[in-house]
């Protein structure tokens, strides 16, 4: 195991394949391959594969880093966070290039939205932390003050879809609150996290305040979340993994937040702009459907079903399958052969179940990772294709006759992350906004986010809320200071 290692070039961008611990690169004896979904024959890097020893080193570094970072004046912490945001903006093209090759998200979207959002996350939380005012009041002869203390080392485990943006979404509040952080990125797309570590180093964070460890979830991930020195855990991924992490967190009495995917309804009423609804529904196929917030269950009022479907098929047909680096491409491949097989499995079981394939339903090329945009009309609402998250370019369509039936169908899965409603009635929008059980309900739009708003899910879509002060509170310990009036001056 070496303290510094060689870097690798990815489309001209220099990336370290090693861990980042205590301000230095650390290599492991073992590694794992990272390949590009754009061309599975293209190996991008051999990445250091962490184990329990690496986890121990990272947590120890984080404990030391916490002492320095948490004791730094808030103004100085804000300055460092803002420098990091500036560096992200300055290096956005390189980050987007690497992430496009690493997980195949559209390069145009990465450059225009997702990487800049990473910088915005740090600016937003720096401003929120700086603007925080302690609550003070008098009661029963005492003066009271609520103090928000940094909680301690935090473990952040992020998914492989939009990995850079989603990492910054979790890291920014943890660091702004004064915590040190250990980031464990997904093994299928870890490379942009390594670039972030370089920028953290350049921004002037103290050693150990920010660490990145790579590896498999059941190895290094399990070691991190079971370490009693860790005081916060934030995870995005599957409910199955969240149950294991939750058990580990419970053993050490560690607060745990999780965002666990969704099965969002996209509800279209007869009074809606049908073409706009169909266009937005077709957009759910972008990024190969690998978006937790996607509206994957199309619920359409019966009287406009045929009109909606005609427009939906037309808009879907305008998609362009191709290299994610090309500006005309709108459909990207799946992240990994294993994930593509998972998507195929859902569709094949749906066929055997008697669910009707309206269009699509197969791979487009046996040597590539693309799957056709697919629409399925389920035999019943209990069909697996309706009830379980697929995380691929597969949507279902169902009809409803009334607003009550639409709400009932919308709430009929165990998920509750997001929902989309298309209607021209303000009263109906308000009613559905309350009736649908989801952490976010959009009306006549999609993926518009105010970073100060709470974000999270109902049911098995998650625990806790991220966003704004909600995330800062999670990463803090709250203390009440109570002083008897007249006893101090």
């Amino acid at each position: 195991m070496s303290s510094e290692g060689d870097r690798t070039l990815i489309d001209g961008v220099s990336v370290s394949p090693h861990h980042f611990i205590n301000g230095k690169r650390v290599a492991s004896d073992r590694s794992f391959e990272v390949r590009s979904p754009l061309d599975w024959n293209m190996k991008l890097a051999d990445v250091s594969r962490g184990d329990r020893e690496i986890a121990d080193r990272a947590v120890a570094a984080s404990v030391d880093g916490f002492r320095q970072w948490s004791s730094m004046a808030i103004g100085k912490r804000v300055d460092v966070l803002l420098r990091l945001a500036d560096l992200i903006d300055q290096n956005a093209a390189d980050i987007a290039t690497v992430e496009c090759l690493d997980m195949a998200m559209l390069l145009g979207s990465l450059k225009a939205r997702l990487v800049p959002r990473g910088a915005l996350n740090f600016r937003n939380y720096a401003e929120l932390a700086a603007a925080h005012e302690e609550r003070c009041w008098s009661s029963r002869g005492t003066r009271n003050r609520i103090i928000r203390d940094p909680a301690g080392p935090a473990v952040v485990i992020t998914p492989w879809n939009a990995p850079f943006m989603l990492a910054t979404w979790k890291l920014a509040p943890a660091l702004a609150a004064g915590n040190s952080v250990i980031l464990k990125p997904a093994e299928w797309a870890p490379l942009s996290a390594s670039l972030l570590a370089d920028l953290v180093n350049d921004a002037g964070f103290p050693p150990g305040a920010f660490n990145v460890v790579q590896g498999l979830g059941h190895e290094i991930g399990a070691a991190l979340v079971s370490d009693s020195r860790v005081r916060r855990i934030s995870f995005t991924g599957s409910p199955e993994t969240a149950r294991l992490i939750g058990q580990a967190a419970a053993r050490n009495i560690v607060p745990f937040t999780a965002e666990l995917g969704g099965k969002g309804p996209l509800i279209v009423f007869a009074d809606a702009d049908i073409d706009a609804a169909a266009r937005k529904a077709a957009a759910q196929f972008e990024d190969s459907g690998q978006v937790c917030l996607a509206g994957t269950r199309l619920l359409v009022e019966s009287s406009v079903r045929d009109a909606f479907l005609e427009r939906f098929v037309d808009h879907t047909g305008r998609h362009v399958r191709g290299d994610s680096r090309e500006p005309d491409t709108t459909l990207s491949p799946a992240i990994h052969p294993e994930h593509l097989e998972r998507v195929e499995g859902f569709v094949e079981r749906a066929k055997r179940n008697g669910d009707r394939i309206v269009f699509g339903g197969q791979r487009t090329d046996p040597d590539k990772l693309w799957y056709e945009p697919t629409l399925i009309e389920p035999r019943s609402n209990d069909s697996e294709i309706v009830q379980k998250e697929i995380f691929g370019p597969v949507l279902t369509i169902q009809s409803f006759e009334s607003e009550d039936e639409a709400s009932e169908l919308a709430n009929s899965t165990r998920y509750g992350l997001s929902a989309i409603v298309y209607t021209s009635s303000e009263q109906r929008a308000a009613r559905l906004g309350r009736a649908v059980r989801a952490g976010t309900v959009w009306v006549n739009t999609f993926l518009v986010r105010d970073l100060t708003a709470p974000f999270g899910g109902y049911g098995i879509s998650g625990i806790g809320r991220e966003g704004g002060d909600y995330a800062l509170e999670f990463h803090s310990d709250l203390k009440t200071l109570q002083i008897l009036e007249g006893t101090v001056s």
Side-chain angles (χ1 to χ4, degrees), residues 20 22-23 61 64-72 76-77 80 83 175 180 200-201 203-211:
F20 182 76
N22 208 29
D64 291 338
F66 174 71
R67 295 190 186 100
Q68 295 185 64
W69 183 243
S70 64
S71 63
M72 190 181 292
K76 291 185 177 180
R77 285 209 307 265
V80 175
R83 279 200 298 273
L175 291 165
S180 56
V200 162
N201 201 43
F205 283 75
F210 178 81
N211 309 273

Side-chain angles (χ1 to χ4, degrees), residues 103-438:
M103 64 81 53
M105 184 167 279
L106 300 176
L107 183 60
S109 294
L110 289 166
K111 287 182 175 180
R113 298 187 299 108
L114 293 169
V115 177
R117 164 69 186 276
L120 182 60
N121 285 335
F122 283 107
R123 289 195 182 95
N124 181 72
Y125 280 105
E127 292 169 1
L128 284 174
H132 174 69
E133 293 184 5
E134 295 177 348
R135 180 188 169 202
C136 299
W137 75 102
S138 295
S139 173
R140 303 182 67 182
T142 63
R143 284 185 285 125
N144 302 269
R145 181 167 56 162
I146 303 299
I147 299 171
R148 189 167 69 189
D149 285 336
V155 167
V156 170
I157 300 176
T158 52
W160 46 258
N161 62 316
F164 185 84
M165 189 279 286
L166 291 178
T168 62
W169 171 239
K170 290 178 174 291
L171 295 168
L175 291 165
N179 295 339
S180 56
V181 176
I182 305 161
L183 169 63
K184 192 277 179 192
E187 54 265 32
W188 283 355
L191 298 176
S192 59
S194 183
L195 291 178
L196 180 60
D198 290 337
L199 302 184
V200 162
N201 201 43
D202 293 342
F205 283 75
F210 178 81
N211 309 273
V212 177
V213 293
Q214 301 151 153
L216 308 187
H218 68 278
E219 294 177 349
I220 193 166
L224 288 170
V225 300
S226 62
D227 195 305
S228 62
R229 294 170 291 180
V230 170
R231 298 317 306 152
R232 291 293 186 274
I233 300 171
S234 181
F235 169 72
T236 296
S238 71
E240 293 75 20
T241 301
R243 291 185 180 98
L244 299 176
I245 294 175
Q247 291 168 9
R251 282 192 288 269
N252 291 319
I253 320 296
V254 176
F256 164 53
T257 186
E259 192 267 280
L260 307 177
K263 192 70 179 175
L266 193 159
I267 310 169
V268 182
F269 286 93
D271 64 354
D273 181 333
I274 300 302
D275 189 69
R279 185 168 60 251
K280 190 62 67 177
Q284 308 305 299
F285 290 125
E286 293 177 1
D287 295 316
S288 198
Q290 298 168 155
V291 179
C292 59
L293 292 163
T296 59
R297 293 183 293 136
L298 308 182
L299 308 179
V300 184
E301 192 163 357
S302 296
S303 62
V304 293
R305 180 187 184 280
D306 291 345
F308 170 85
L309 188 56
E310 180 182 359
R311 289 168 173 78
F312 174 63
V313 171
D314 177 60
H315 285 298
T316 299
R318 299 180 191 181
H319 277 303
V320 177
R321 185 177 68 249
D323 191 313
S324 297
R325 293 169 290 187
E326 296 298 325
D328 293 337
T329 299
T330 60
L331 295 179
S332 53
I335 177 73
H336 194 281
E338 288 182 21
H339 188 63
L340 181 57
E341 290 175 6
R342 181 178 184 274
V343 172
E344 285 184 298
F346 271 107
V347 177
E348 293 307 310
R349 290 192 297 275
K351 292 176 181 177
R352 293 195 295 269
N353 183 56
D355 302 322
R356 185 172 76 89
I357 309 299
V358 180
F359 61 73
Q362 60 186 0
R363 295 178 67 156
T364 61
D365 186 327
D367 299 321
K368 301 290 185 180
L369 299 183
W370 279 293
Y371 197 83
E372 283 186 319
T374 297
L375 181 66
I376 299 177
E377 186 170 26
R379 187 179 66 176
S380 80
N381 193 58
D382 294 330
S383 293
E384 180 193 49
I385 205 78
V386 174
Q387 294 296 322
K388 292 188 177 180
E389 185 180 42
I390 302 166
F391 219 62
V394 179
L395 309 183
T396 59
I397 186 166
Q398 297 167 270
S399 300
F400 62 85
E401 300 292 341
S402 67
E403 189 175 304
D404 286 344
E405 186 182 7
S407 297
E408 184 178 349
L409 286 171
N411 294 332
S412 65
T413 76
R414 298 176 66 196
Y415 293 92
L417 185 61
S418 63
I420 307 166
V421 178
Y422 271 84
T423 179
S424 62
S425 167
E426 185 173 353
Q427 292 76 21
R428 175 174 284 137
R431 289 193 299 268
L432 265 292
R434 290 186 175 276
V436 175
R437 295 185 56 78

